[in-house]
Amino acid sequence: MSSPWDVYDALIDDLPQDVTVVLSDRGTRWTRVVNSADGVGSAWSMKDTSRPAISVGTPDAGRPIRDVAALVRSWNLAEASVGQAAINSWYSRAEVAARNGFVPTGAGLTWRQVFDPYADAVTGRVVAIIGHFPFARAALHKAADLQILERYPEPGDYPDTACEYLLPQADYVFISSSSFVNKSAPRLIDLAVGGGAHTVLVGPSTPMHPLLLELGVDTVTGYVPDPEVGRAEVIASLSPTGQIGPGTRMHQHRTA
């Protein structure tokens, strides 16, 4: 990719022309978009609104999914959350994810278990995690050095600006896909893959598209919501809770 925007353009270019947005909801922690093909997409809600929104006064509902998805390019990050959720509303459809090569990770698995498969693999290794996952330290305690990088650091975390220094030296890098909203994902992937790290994208904000594997990511994890999550009343009740809602974790590994 010659430009970081190429990643976003490719994700938008593969969206259908004839699908529209039916509903969008900017929840406290999760932003959701429902499309006319019954797809539901989620993205981490970011509240940064320093730049003017480019869609002020324009309702999301009724617009082509590609138009709403283009909001991911906005530097008003609250608006960009809607764009990423619109992108994911297509790639998080079960049939689209399957067509793109993604398979269910396992029945009943939640995001709390996303690091568990790497518990032994990271033994004695340097591990960097983009995003503060409170359950990561327990799962990856065998790592020689566990580095958590966070935009709003908690005690023991590194500031996320340390990525330029730490990721090229890491053996394993786990990247929260909320980074697609704040536009840091392309650079984080480049730093991790370029340094030779085993690189994993995690979280419901992940667009399940094989492009990410072509960029060198080793494992892409995503999420397919249960069909009922698409109902307006369910979205309204879920948003304030901070919970992502019922669904199935999906993944795809890169083949050598």
Side-chain angles (χ1 to χ4, degrees):
M1 297 283 176
S2 58
S3 164
W5 290 122
D6 291 345
V7 176
Y8 296 94
D9 291 342
L11 292 171
I12 294 170
D13 285 347
D14 279 354
L15 297 176
Q17 299 276 0
D18 57 347
V19 172
T20 60
V21 168
V22 173
L23 173 71
S24 67
D25 176 80
R26 304 186 186 196
T28 303
R29 297 187 69 182
W30 294 104
T31 293
R32 292 181 173 86
V33 166
V34 183
N35 66 42
S36 59
D38 293 326
V40 183
S42 301
W44 187 252
S45 295
M46 292 193 176
K47 300 304 181 184
D48 301 293
T49 57
S50 58
R51 294 293 299 168
I54 59 180
S55 61
V56 172
T58 305
D60 300 322
R63 298 174 64 189
I65 186 177
R66 292 168 65 97
D67 287 0
V68 178
L71 297 179
V72 75
R73 298 177 65 98
S74 174
W75 288 108
N76 178 302
L77 298 187
E79 185 176 52
S81 295
V82 177
Q84 187 63 38
I87 289 171
N88 290 340
S89 74
W90 181 252
Y91 299 119
S92 292
R93 294 177 69 235
E95 55 268 47
V96 175
R99 188 165 66 238
N100 282 339
F102 287 81
V103 297
T105 301
L109 288 178
T110 69
W111 292 106
R112 294 190 66 86
Q113 292 90 41
V114 72
F115 299 106
D116 292 4
Y118 302 92
D120 292 327
V122 302
T123 301
R125 302 297 188 91
V126 176
V127 178
I129 304 175
I130 306 298
H132 187 98
F133 294 86
F135 42 85
R137 290 192 184 278
L140 304 176
H141 68 276
K142 295 180 182 179
D145 186 9
L146 182 60
Q147 305 162 345
I148 296 177
L149 292 76
E150 171 60 45
R151 179 63 49 93
Y152 305 103
E154 299 186 23
D157 293 350
Y158 290 87
D160 63 344
T161 49
C163 64
E164 297 285 341
Y165 304 85
L166 299 180
L167 266 57
Q169 310 303 321
D171 299 304
Y172 282 79
V173 174
F174 298 88
I175 301 173
S176 168
S177 290
S178 60
S179 59
F180 282 94
V181 178
N182 66 25
K183 317 294 191 295
S184 62
R187 180 58 179 163
L188 294 171
I189 292 170
D190 185 57
L191 287 169
V193 172
H198 184 97
T199 305
V200 184
L201 285 173
V202 299
S205 298
T206 307
M208 286 187 285
H209 194 293
L211 162 72
L212 303 173
L213 299 162
E214 295 169 12
L215 295 178
V217 175
D218 292 284
T219 300
V220 176
T221 68
Y223 163 79
V224 172
D226 285 349
E228 63 267 23
V229 176
R231 299 202 310 266
E233 64 271 20
V234 175
I235 286 183
S237 66
L238 282 175
S239 293
T241 70
Q243 301 300 313
I244 188 60
T248 303
R249 269 180 46 198
M250 307 281 285
H251 73 274
Q252 184 175 175
H253 302 302
R254 182 169 61 92
T255 56

